Amino acid sequence: MYFKWTAAGFLIVWLSWIDDCACFGQHNDVEKSRREMNELFECDDIGDIDEYVGCKIDSEDGFVRFTQPVMLQSFEDEFDLSKVRETQTPAEPGTTLPKVDDDAPFVEKEQTYFRSGVGKLLHMMRWSRPEVYNAVRDLSRHMKKSAEPHVKAMHRVMKYCVSTPNRGWRLKPKRTWDGRKGFKFRISGKSDSDYATCPDTRKSVSGLSVFLEGAPITVKSVMQKIIALSVTEAETIAGVACVQEMIYAMKILLSLGLEVELPMILEIDNKGAV
């Protein structure tokens, strides 16, 4: 931002806004948008996109995949994974990390090490590895104070990611749109819950995924705000959260002048919740 007073006493303000913009679509449409953008703003055209927010983007016929090889390398360079064995899952199934006692010793250096690792995992789960979402969510609950079991759990998630470097967020729609009017996009969802998983609060965890034409657009694993009194109630809370995300996706498409196929289908594996 730059300020300047004129001789007449008026204040002139120049504002400079810098950010990254990506454009996707048919080649001719992208070229048209690029020319229009360059006419309106002073910007650089870096060509075809192969990297975005630290992710490597591989584009093949029919799908796009996000991976983070640089982040994976930082796991091996900055964290002690040499003695961690490879596993088939990011976390131990059916377990929840315990809370550290308030009177337990606190070592700032060890806590910084743990926070740094979880911070990297939070970025990775968000942009390229949704399958570690639940494990990283559990780790992030202990950012204030952690202990040896938490560090071991963090190392396990990192080792799992390092040993599966080619996995990533894969966007492959089941149908393609030719641009004609009348096409109705399909939005679907899947929800599940882990009842009373927290040993301290007895709160349950909601897991959900929302798909647009079969491609995942929203993935979440969150601790529920209230205490469910039954498995059916926990499953219903998770289902409602998934429905909210599905309606949000629908409203975005409708705001763009597109159509959505109704009813949208939500899958829940609990008869009571259904």
Side-chain angles (χ1 to χ4, degrees), residues 60-127:
E60 297 183 23
D61 186 27
F63 75 89
V64 175
R65 182 174 59 200
F66 292 75
T67 57
Q68 293 180 273
V70 176
M71 182 75 76
L72 293 177
Q73 186 62 48
S74 72
F75 289 166
E76 295 187 284
D77 295 341
E78 301 174 21
F79 300 89
D80 186 14
L81 305 181
S82 58
K83 298 181 181 180
V84 181
R85 64 184 181 87
E86 296 183 5
T87 59
Q88 297 298 316
T89 57
E92 188 69 31
T95 61
T96 301
L97 293 173
K99 182 181 178 180
V100 180
D101 295 334
D102 294 335
D103 57 353
F106 179 86
V107 180
E108 184 65 35
K109 184 178 180 180
E110 294 179 358
Q111 193 61 38
T112 300
Y113 177 85
F114 178 76
R115 290 171 181 167
S116 174
V118 175
K120 288 177 178 289
L121 286 171
L122 285 168
H123 189 277
M124 174 159 282
M125 82 172 189
R126 172 65 180 83
W127 289 105

Side-chain angles (χ1 to χ4, degrees), residues 142-161:
H142 306 280
M143 296 284 271
K144 184 178 180 180
K145 195 172 186 179
S146 62
E148 184 180 356
H150 305 89
V151 177
K152 287 184 177 179
M154 179 187 71
H155 287 164
R156 177 187 173 117
V157 180
M158 289 181 172
K159 190 69 173 184
Y160 167 81
C161 293

Side-chain angles (χ1 to χ4, degrees), residues 30-41:
V30 171
E31 283 298 309
K32 180 182 178 182
S33 298
R34 182 187 63 79
R35 290 192 298 268
E36 292 175 349
M37 183 68 72
N38 284 325
E39 291 174 358
L40 293 172
F41 305 99

